[in-house]
Amino acid sequence: MLTVALLLILAITLIDLQVPGSVHLGDLLIMVPVLTSWYASSRVTSLVAIMAVSALMAIFLVRQSVNPPQAAALIATSVAVVIARYLTERGQRKLVQLRAVAEAAQRAILPPLPHRLGPLRLASTYLAAEDEARIGGDFYAAVRTPTGTRLIIGDVRGKGLPAVGCTAHAISTFRDAARRLTTLPELAAYLDSSVRSNASEAECPEQTEEAFVTATLLEIPDAEPLVRSVTCGHPPPLLLRAHDVVTLEAGQPAPPLGLGALTQTTYHLDTFALRAEDTLLLYTDGAIEARNTDGEFYPLAKRLTHQNHRHPTALLNHLRSDLLNHAGGRLDDDAALIAIKRQPADGTAPSADQSTWDECGVSMSFDMRSRSTAMGGSSRAPQPWAAPAGVRQGRPPRHARIF
């Protein structure tokens, strides 16, 4: 590109010297430093500007005539574009530094899940709606326990820095409590109390009553072909087996974390079969509420029906590109997805014990009622929590349901 600029200066100079004296093409030299500043550094732009001014002086010398306004315009323009280019580079360097710091902080808050935890193979992906963002209100985390793996996927209400702060708090609280508390209902109750406590310490008073987190808590034992879950106002997971896609609907969804004080909350524990080679797909509502140009939601379960459920990473790569294509390359809301595939313990076919879990289901309710002075110790029977508006939980055909 520098060669092009030099050739352009040379061409203008030679042509100007060949045309009659009444024609002045030296004015065209002013465009050379301007064009150079678009793609070159401030140093290269300065060099080109000096050569353009020198070429104009050579024209004046050969013609033995000086045009002061023409020279003043070229010199003033050259100085202006060099300064502008320098300031642009300075801003770009600062932006690169800020992006590096932000990305390091974001990866510290929401690191990718490990590719393997015990008998599970995992993959995770995050699609941020904000430009240049890597994290927003959606989050996920996984921890190992002595008997298996616990995971959480959630969606914090709101956007921007307040949502990122709540996300960091929810992840750190889960990582700490998931290793200490015995059952998922206890863990859900603890997270609910933690979200409310964190909201009460917010700088904006209005955030206290509006802060909540939809989440699904999972527990996958290493030695049993099952998965336990507690749903807190979050979209249900999808179970991928062979070419079937099954929605694992919660028996009694609890309210989102942070809203447990509004009712006598019962955290219902659901248990589903999870055999070897099964894949579990977790997602946030940004994935199923992405719209195309016709206003149609992304049909996540339908897009998986005819897919060969391959390695989790390959599956999420396919979903990521398909989702972005559906939404025209840009999402209106953050979306997070996790794919979990159980591997055979010794590379053999699933044992006969695993089929037992396909014939029956286990569901238990734990009354982990949130203590709140506002409730006044009410003894009303706990009420099931309805799924939030916008979250569609269509029931699969009876033969396809797995409990």
Side-chain angles (χ1 to χ4, degrees), residues 116-177:
R116 184 155 190 171
L117 287 173
L120 306 177
R121 290 195 177 274
L122 302 94
S124 58
T125 187
Y126 193 100
L127 297 172
E130 297 291 338
D131 292 337
E132 306 299 337
R134 297 293 184 275
I135 181 175
D138 294 6
F139 67 93
Y140 46 74
V143 298
R144 286 288 292 166
T145 67
T147 59
T149 302
R150 284 182 171 177
L151 303 100
I152 185 174
I153 185 169
D155 186 358
V156 175
R157 179 196 176 277
K159 297 181 179 179
L161 291 179
V164 174
C166 189
T167 296
H169 176 80
I171 293 176
S172 61
T173 303
F174 169 79
R175 291 185 180 279
D176 173 66

Side-chain angles (χ1 to χ4, degrees), residues 19 25 64 90 108 146 205 207 211 234 245 256 286 293 295 348:
V19 297
L25 298 180
Q64 297 182 350
R90 185 178 178 182
Q207 293 182 4
H234 200 75
V245 179
T293 54
T348 60

Side-chain angles (χ1 to χ4, degrees), residues 254-285:
L257 302 175
L259 301 182
L262 301 181
T263 183
Q264 295 180 343
T265 303
T266 297
Y267 292 101
H268 187 83
L269 183 66
D270 295 291
T271 303
F272 306 95
L274 185 65
R275 303 185 309 190
E277 299 299 331
D278 285 351
T279 299
L280 198 61
L281 182 65
L282 312 177
Y283 55 93
T284 58
D285 57 4

Side-chain angles (χ1 to χ4, degrees), residues 47-61:
L47 177 60
V48 171
I50 293 174
M51 297 187 68
V53 173
S54 301
L56 183 62
M57 295 300 122
I59 293 175
F60 290 161
L61 182 61

Side-chain angles (χ1 to χ4, degrees), residues 197-214:
S197 298
N198 182 61
S200 65
E201 298 172 359
E203 295 182 2
C204 301
E206 61 272 13
Q207 293 182 4
T208 302
E209 298 180 357
E210 298 178 356
F212 61 84
V213 180
T214 66

Side-chain angles (χ1 to χ4, degrees), residues 195-261:
V195 170
R196 284 187 282 113
S197 298
N198 182 61
S200 65
E201 298 172 359
E203 295 182 2
C204 301
E206 61 272 13
Q207 293 182 4
T208 302
E209 298 180 357
E210 298 178 356
F212 61 84
V213 180
T214 66
T216 294
L217 304 174
L218 297 178
E219 182 177 66
I220 305 177
D222 290 344
E224 299 177 89
L226 57 88
V227 55
R228 304 184 184 98
S229 68
V230 171
T231 301
C232 301
H234 200 75
L238 298 176
L239 180 66
L240 286 57
R241 175 175 298 167
H243 293 283
D244 294 330
V245 179
V246 183
T247 302
L248 303 184
E249 297 181 356
Q252 297 179 17
L257 302 175
L259 301 182

